[in-house]
């Protein structure tokens, strides 16, 4: 996969999500409701919601107005919009780190953002894995990336030299070329949602 070294080289969809998530976080850090930001910036709640949820890429005037209201410099806002030259090999997401997303025109739909990462030339495969208490397997590799979400149970996930203690709700994203295997050491089944992004 090609390295993404700066804002210009990243896919527009990925940047839209990044920008929206950062605006939402700054707003919450300032203890502002979406309605407060709308009133102070002059931008409708519906539009702000779409921007924060990564559905709309904000126009430059809108972005400037939002950042002005939040008292954030435009250059400072984009200062950390860079990806590392080398992917560390994994991203481990604890359940408590997920970010709530406020969707427009919905009641009882509680979305949470887990992670965003650009992937090119990949085929998506989704599997549901049930690990029995006595399950056994050697480490394997996959030609692509994997996203693991532990639905139920408690497991150890061995990834190269790392071992992650995963509880229900935790997530792990990693380069499948690193040898890996889930281990169930308790006397109950563990249920794992597995997304494969196979290189094509």
């Amino acid at each position: 996969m090609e390295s993404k070294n700066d804002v210009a080289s990243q896919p527009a969809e990925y940047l839209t999500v990044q920008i929206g998530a950062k605006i939402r976080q700054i707003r919450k850090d300032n203890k502002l409701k979406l309605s407060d930001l709308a009133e102070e910036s002059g931008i409708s709640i519906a539009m702000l919601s779409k921007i924060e949820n990564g559905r709309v890429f904000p126009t430059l005037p809108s972005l400037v107005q939002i950042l002005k209201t939040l008292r954030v410099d435009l250059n400072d806002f984009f200062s950390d919009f860079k990806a590392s030259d080398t992917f560390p090999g994994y991203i481990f997401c604890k359940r408590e780190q997920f970010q709530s997303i406020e969707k427009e025109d919905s009641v009882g739909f509680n979305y949470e953002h887990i992670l965003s990462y650009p992937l090119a030339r990949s085929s998506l495969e989704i599997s549901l894995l049930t690990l029995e208490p006595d399950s056994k397997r050697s480490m394997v590799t996959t030609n692509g990336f994997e996203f693991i979400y532990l639905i139920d149970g408690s497991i150890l996930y061995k990834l190269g030299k790392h071992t992650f203690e995963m509880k229900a709700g935790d997530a792990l994203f990693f380069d499948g070329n690193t040898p890996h295997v889930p281990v169930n050491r308790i006397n109950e089944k563990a249920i794992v949602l597995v997304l494969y992004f196979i290189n094509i």
Side-chain angles (χ1 to χ4, degrees):
M1 193 174 80
E2 295 179 1
S3 174
K4 306 292 188 292
N5 295 320
D6 52 35
V7 171
S9 68
Q10 296 184 24
E13 297 84 359
Y14 182 56
L15 283 177
T16 302
V17 172
Q18 275 192 309
I19 289 172
K22 187 165 184 178
I23 289 174
R24 183 192 313 112
Q25 188 59 54
I26 294 172
R27 173 178 63 79
K28 290 187 174 183
D29 288 344
N30 289 333
K31 298 186 178 357
L32 289 175
K33 296 180 180 178
L34 202 60
S35 57
D36 297 330
L37 181 56
E39 182 177 351
E40 294 184 31
S41 67
I43 300 173
S44 71
I45 292 179
M47 180 55 67
L48 286 173
S49 179
K50 289 178 180 178
I51 291 172
E52 286 195 358
N53 291 321
R55 296 188 180 185
V56 173
F57 195 93
T59 63
L60 183 57
S62 295
L63 181 59
V64 169
Q65 186 59 34
I66 292 170
L67 296 183
K68 181 179 179 181
T69 303
L70 295 173
R71 296 176 177 80
V72 176
D73 180 77
L74 185 64
N75 292 325
D76 291 341
F77 181 79
F78 284 106
S79 64
D80 61 351
F81 272 61
K82 294 184 178 180
S84 174
D85 288 338
T86 56
F87 177 59
Y90 64 88
I91 301 174
F92 185 42
C93 306
K94 294 294 291 181
R95 176 65 183 82
E96 55 269 23
Q97 295 175 328
F98 298 176
Q99 295 182 344
S100 296
I101 298 176
E102 299 170 10
K103 295 285 187 179
E104 67 278 3
D105 300 324
S106 66
V107 176
F109 283 68
N110 302 311
Y111 288 91
E112 292 178 280
H113 180 258
I114 299 177
L115 67 87
S116 298
Y117 194 81
L119 292 172
R121 298 185 297 279
S122 295
S123 173
L124 173 63
E125 295 181 14
I126 303 175
S127 298
L128 189 64
L129 169 64
T130 298
L131 283 172
E132 301 291 342
D134 57 351
S135 58
K136 294 180 181 179
R137 193 192 72 187
S138 300
M139 281 188 162
V140 298
T141 60
T142 306
N143 184 28
F145 288 81
E146 290 190 33
F147 175 79
I148 306 296
Y149 179 81
L150 187 57
I151 297 175
D152 192 26
S154 177
I155 65 173
L156 295 179
Y157 207 97
K158 295 184 177 181
L159 180 65
K161 297 179 180 179
H162 303 277
T163 299
F164 300 96
E165 295 184 6
M166 298 186 69
K167 297 180 180 179
D170 291 345
L172 178 64
F173 175 74
F174 60 92
D175 184 344
N177 289 293
T178 304
H180 55 273
V181 65
V183 179
N184 185 5
R185 290 184 175 175
I186 62 175
N187 293 322
E188 297 179 5
K189 293 180 180 179
I191 302 176
V192 187
L193 180 66
V194 185
L195 279 68
Y196 298 94
F197 300 90
I198 307 300
N199 293 336
I200 57 176

